[in-house]
Amino acid sequence: MRQVTVLGSCGAFPEPGRACSGFLLDWDGYRLVLDLGYATLPQLLAHVPDGAVDAVVITHEHPDHCIDLHGLFRIRHYGSAAGKLPLYCTHGVLDRLGGLEPDVDLHDVFDVHPLPGHHRIGPFELTGLSLPHYVPNAGVRLSADGVALAYTGDTGPDPLLAELGRDADLFIVEATDRDGETRRPTRNLMTATEAGAWARRAGARRLLLTHFWPGNDRAAAVAAARAEFDGEILAADEDLVVTLDR
């Protein structure tokens, strides 16, 4: 089984019945989590009841991408899990979460590896590229057996997006579509139209839009991306499963 399950799809804060950014990648039984924003932990536990994932990747320190890592920490710290959990994250993530646990060392649970950078994670080659955002943010590319998945985290438009998603079988791209975004002097988020354009430039096979601003019309986001990208376009939806076999 090689698949991605959407744990959460909202940006900033979750809509009712939804969660913020999070994805569970299952590759022949190796389970890796990409981001754990608000309300993603219950979603994760519905698929992995004991929280026994093999690795976690956090793109940046904003709570809509990392706050439920704290809950996973508590499961591992107070539960019966053996060994440390590999955590690949940008600078600042543990500082944010450490304020919630001043009497406990997060390194007791997590084996921390820095992003951006290059790492071997189980069956995957991970490449983390620095992409523009309000805080350090790493776009992530995971490759195994000729299959590539890429995920932007949060980002403004940047030429490295084409490198990150080059020929990816699945390119997960944030499409916040916040009002006035394209008029901002410094870009730290993107629109669905821009997501489609960068997926096209990257030559990706499939595009998964995510990080929807609460209240936005997701069908309209897909239509906007389709104006730029003629491959398959999906809108992230909680519990959506996307297979990665070619």
Side-chain angles (χ1 to χ4, degrees):
M1 180 171 58
R2 297 176 174 183
Q3 63 186 34
V4 175
T5 301
V6 178
L7 304 176
S9 60
C10 294
F13 58 92
E15 294 178 305
R18 294 191 181 274
C20 284
S21 297
F23 303 88
L24 172 63
L25 172 56
D26 191 323
W27 187 274
D28 296 338
Y30 187 92
R31 294 175 293 194
L32 180 149
V33 174
L34 285 166
D35 281 350
L36 275 172
Y38 295 118
T40 55
L41 184 58
Q43 299 282 342
L44 174 64
L45 294 176
H47 298 280
V48 187
D50 54 1
V53 295
D54 296 291
V56 177
V57 177
I58 302 292
T59 59
H60 65 287
E61 66 191 84
H62 280 159
D64 58 331
H65 290 256
C66 79
I67 197 65
D68 274 21
L69 181 62
H70 177 244
L72 183 59
F73 164 81
R74 286 193 151 225
I75 290 172
R76 305 280 295 207
H77 181 69
Y78 294 112
S80 58
K84 291 188 178 183
L85 177 62
L87 170 63
Y88 301 80
C89 63
T90 52
H91 177 75
V93 169
L94 288 193
D95 290 340
R96 291 257 184 163
L97 297 183
L100 300 172
E101 294 284 359
D103 301 320
V104 180
D105 188 350
L106 300 181
H107 291 85
D108 290 346
V109 167
F110 298 128
D111 179 18
V112 182
H113 306 268
L115 291 178
H118 298 273
H119 302 280
R120 180 77 189 184
I121 308 180
F124 301 109
E125 293 291 339
L126 179 151
T127 299
L129 300 179
S130 181
L131 294 173
H133 195 45
Y134 300 98
V135 296
N137 172 70
V140 174
R141 182 182 177 94
L142 295 161
S143 303
D145 291 347
V147 176
L149 175 150
Y151 172 45
T152 65
D154 288 356
T155 182
D158 189 275
L160 284 178
L161 288 167
E163 179 180 342
L164 182 74
R166 182 71 62 203
D167 300 323
D169 297 273
L170 182 66
F171 198 7
I172 306 173
V173 183
E174 72 99 347
T176 308
D177 274 324
R178 188 174 59 173
D179 286 345
E181 182 59 40
T182 59
R183 298 190 298 275
R184 297 178 190 277
T186 301
R187 298 293 309 284
N188 291 300
L189 294 166
M190 290 204 301
T191 67
T193 301
E194 290 169 329
W198 285 109
R200 172 175 49 79
R201 294 179 199 182
R205 289 182 54 227
R206 291 177 292 172
L207 170 62
L208 177 61
L209 300 176
T210 191
H211 202 262
F212 298 105
W213 195 256
N216 278 8
D217 184 338
R218 299 182 178 209
V222 170
R226 187 166 286 124
E228 294 286 343
F229 180 68
D230 59 7
E232 182 181 3
I233 302 175
L234 302 168
D237 192 18
E238 284 68 15
D239 288 328
L240 173 71
V241 175
V242 182
T243 60
L244 292 174
D245 287 327
R246 288 195 166 191

